[in-house]
Amino acid sequence: MKKISIYTLWALVLLMACSKQSVPPPSPVLPVPSEEQLSWHEMELNAFIHFTTNTFTDLEWGYGDESPTVFYPSALDANQWVEAIKKAGFKGLILTCKHHDGFCLWPSQYTAHSMAASPYKSGQGDVVKEVSEACRNHGIKFGVYLSPWDRNHPGYGQPEYITYYRNQLKEVIDNYGPVFELWFDGANGGDGYYGGANEKRMIDRETYYDWPTTILQVRKMDTATLFFSDAGPDIRWCGNEAGYVSETNWNTLSPDTLYAGKSGVYDLLGTGSSDGNSWIPAEVDVSIRPGWFYHQSQDSLVKTPEQLFNIYLQSVGRGALLLLNIPPDRRGLLHENDLRSLAGFKAIIDNVFAINLALNATFYASNTRGNANEFCPDKLHDCNKDTYWATDDSVHRADLEIRLNSPQVVQYLVIQEYIKLGQRIKEFEIEALENDRWTTIAHGTTVGYKRIVQFDPVETNGLRLKMLDSKACPVLSNIEIY
Ligand code: FUL
């Protein structure tokens, strides 16, 4: 028999070690999010600020004939807004620089219907500047709502208005950018002042704005800006203004299918579609008050911290981003009642998610990709969003068992897919170990960026996440237990 030399043996050992390290990562399930969309997902909580002449006229939709002189906040303090939302855990702020009434919160060179004609700071004021600077100073990302519908502009409905709108977009981005998100409202066309015409003007929503050209214009100025509209292209509306996204929430959607069926648009916006050809995640916009603008009559109707937490679970907890509107009052300040609710909301979040029991738990997986260390279940509680557990390609059903050191009362399981490689999970179940028996305590469908599953409190020393169906091998980056 031929002898194996020490060198050959050494080479074999090396080869085995290398092959162990070289288990290939899962191929992405397309489409996947862009870098900007990934950062947007991680923001989770953003604030919406509705503020304009409506605040002073007690309206929700100004007709467009409001005198700029009505806009007169007595104690406007953008730092107060930004400090409050930052303290409550928000990462971005989107300001209504112009709502449907057409009044501009900055001194636009393209219209007289702006701050420059208001008594605020004797016509020298610039709310967009104040807010964008406060955001930058406090590390909050600044976003812009610029209503496509303009009930003041005489040219609305004609091509000249599109030029006006694009000029204003450029003006706002040039002067106050960077802008992380541009919010294009779907409410469009109807009656209005229109420079004194006082008539009804309807537009063809599909063609009038020529959005692709506008979007290209902005992309040339800032490649990082994300576009929100009903159908994207970067962020979609969740289909309602009540504070929730569908329990089944795919980040994927084929925009051209959205209006094809005529019915079910709102449902489709809520669910997305598992076979969608674009990554267009859902944003849940909802107001802390019944109205989008401040009305004194609604001071007692501010949502409670508990209601806000519920909204959080049905938006962020279902893989969407929550855009919570908090409208400043006539002083130009966030009202005390709203501040109280925000602080209470934050306190609930801090309290519920205070101690992550998964950190010291032991994880077991029914399958680990290539038995490789880099894909092992320990990656699920290593506090590193760039590592993940994955199964072999052929495995689309898998179980994760999480053993706690001692019995604990638990009520929430947080699951995060590693969405850089696409959204995969279609259905899952959660079991708890009670008196040595596994009992099903929750059932769900999609996961996505984040899924917070709330169940009846149960005392247990073990949970099992059963992934029942997945588009491809499951790839999870994080698990938390509270
Ligand atoms: C709607 C608008 O008509 C409301 O006034 C508000 O701005 C809300 C966020 O979007 O479509």
Side-chain angles (χ1 to χ4, degrees):
M1 203 171 108
K2 211 175 159 196
K3 271 193 182 163
I4 301 176
S5 77
I6 187 81
Y7 298 107
T8 318
L9 255 180
W10 182 232
L12 267 174
V13 169
L14 257 180
L15 193 75
M16 279 168 69
C18 289
S19 68
K20 193 125 188 95
Q21 270 170 16
S22 66
V23 177
S27 311
V29 170
L30 300 175
V32 295
S34 67
E35 277 303 314
E36 288 77 21
Q37 285 173 319
L38 267 179
S39 313
W40 175 90
H41 277 286
E42 287 167 11
M43 294 172 86
E44 298 191 4
L45 265 183
N46 289 337
F48 215 176
I49 299 278
H50 274 66
F51 191 47
T52 188
T53 49
N54 291 343
T55 313
F56 303 87
T57 53
D58 221 7
L59 291 175
E60 275 292 305
W61 280 8
Y63 189 68
D65 61 348
E66 295 73 24
S67 165
T69 58
V70 300
F71 185 85
Y72 198 10
S74 54
L76 192 146
D77 182 1
N79 284 307
Q80 185 242 16
W81 314 355
V82 175
E83 276 163 20
I85 63 156
K86 184 171 180 173
K87 217 164 143 194
F90 292 69
K91 302 286 187 284
L93 178 157
I94 298 180
L95 173 69
T96 56
C97 299
K98 178 186 88 164
H99 201 248
H100 307 328
D101 55 84
F103 180 73
C104 300
L105 289 189
W106 79 103
S108 172
Q109 60 165 301
Y110 300 103
T111 179
H113 198 59
S114 83
M115 297 283 320
S118 90
Y120 177 62
K121 294 192 173 170
S122 312
Q124 300 301 306
D126 184 342
V127 174
V128 182
K129 183 164 190 260
E130 288 186 50
V131 177
S132 56
E133 280 179 1
C135 284
R136 257 186 291 285
N137 292 341
H138 291 94
I140 291 288
K141 287 191 184 173
F142 176 66
V144 166
Y145 169 114
L146 194 75
S147 171
W149 182 24
D150 190 320
R151 302 172 96 187
N152 174 265
H153 198 275
Y156 183 77
Q158 301 299 317
E160 70 178 90
Y161 171 73
I162 302 303
T163 307
Y164 171 79
Y165 186 77
R166 289 185 182 146
N167 282 338
Q168 287 204 322
L169 262 185
K170 180 163 174 6
E171 190 178 37
V172 167
I173 296 170
D174 272 346
N175 294 344
Y176 314 106
V179 169
F180 83 96
E181 179 172 336
L182 271 174
W183 220 87
F184 296 141
D185 198 320
N188 273 302
D191 60 348
Y193 174 67
Y194 305 123
N198 292 310
E199 59 188 14
K200 192 168 182 169
R201 292 186 184 174
M202 302 309 288
I203 47 102
D204 179 349
R205 294 166 58 112
E206 302 277 310
T207 55
Y208 178 55
Y209 294 104
D210 179 15
W211 287 119
T213 305
T214 306
I215 288 169
L216 203 67
Q217 171 194 312
V218 176
R219 290 236 195 272
K220 278 186 189 151
M221 299 176 68
D222 187 347
T223 50
T225 305
L226 294 170
F227 297 93
F228 167 98
S229 85
D230 286 8
D234 300 318
I235 304 162
R236 74 175 197 265
W237 184 39
C238 65
N240 69 78
E241 292 178 340
Y244 67 91
V245 71
S246 253
E247 208 168 328
T248 297
N249 173 21
W250 289 99
N251 291 292
T252 45
L253 185 74
S254 301
D256 52 348
T257 61
L258 199 56
Y259 300 104
K262 292 274 177 256
S263 60
V265 176
Y266 298 121
D267 287 346
L268 192 51
L269 284 169
T271 57
S273 48
S274 64
D275 59 354
N277 60 18
S278 310
W279 188 273
I280 313 180
E283 179 165 280
V284 173
D285 61 314
V286 61
S287 186
I288 197 166
R289 290 163 169 256
W292 290 99
F293 287 91
Y294 174 84
H295 308 285
Q296 194 178 16
S297 58
Q298 297 180 351
D299 280 353
S300 60
L301 301 174
V302 175
K303 291 189 173 67
T304 62
E306 291 72 22
Q307 286 173 311
L308 294 179
F309 183 62
N310 208 27
I311 286 174
Y312 175 84
L313 291 178
Q314 294 181 354
S315 52
V316 176
R318 291 179 181 174
L321 182 142
L322 172 57
L323 180 65
L324 180 68
N325 180 62
I326 313 135
D329 61 18
R330 290 185 181 176
R331 292 170 301 175
L333 296 175
L334 300 188
H335 190 271
E336 289 71 7
N337 295 0
D338 304 47
L339 293 176
R340 207 169 303 123
S341 267
L342 272 186
F345 168 52
K346 176 73 163 79
I348 296 181
I349 291 193
D350 287 350
N351 185 34
V352 167
F353 303 116
I355 300 169
N356 173 12
L357 298 168
L359 284 179
N360 296 316
T362 312
F363 281 64
Y364 305 95
S366 60
N367 178 283
T368 289
R369 189 175 186 79
N371 286 320
N373 190 38
E374 66 185 294
F375 304 121
C376 76
D378 283 349
K379 305 297 175 193
L380 292 163
H381 59 156
D382 64 357
C383 301
N384 181 350
K385 64 182 165 88
D386 296 321
T387 60
Y388 54 86
W389 160 81
T391 65
D392 290 321
D393 286 336
S394 59
V395 176
H396 295 192
R397 288 171 70 100
D399 293 352
L400 277 170
E401 207 172 295
I402 310 151
R403 292 293 183 136
L404 306 176
N405 292 335
S406 59
Q408 305 276 349
V409 178
V410 297
Q411 197 181 358
Y412 299 91
L413 184 74
V414 180
I415 317 165
Q416 293 191 271
E417 285 190 80
Y418 184 75
I419 55 171
K420 260 190 188 179
L421 293 178
Q423 185 175 1
R424 294 157 182 255
I425 292 173
K426 293 184 184 177
E427 192 185 357
F428 65 86
E429 230 169 48
I430 300 168
E431 294 178 339
L433 193 55
E434 288 178 284
N435 306 321
D436 289 331
R437 285 191 45 200
W438 289 101
T439 320
T440 304
I441 54 167
H443 180 266
T445 52
T446 53
V447 174
Y449 166 71
K450 184 177 263 191
R451 182 72 198 242
I452 307 174
V453 190
Q454 183 186 33
F455 37 82
D456 291 336
V458 55
E459 185 169 349
T460 183
N461 58 358
L463 288 179
R464 196 189 262 162
L465 171 62
K466 293 172 80 75
M467 283 146 278
L468 303 175
D469 198 6
S470 182
K471 276 169 129 181
C473 65
V475 180
L476 298 185
S477 68
N478 187 42
I479 298 258
E480 296 167 25
I481 300 173
Y482 300 95

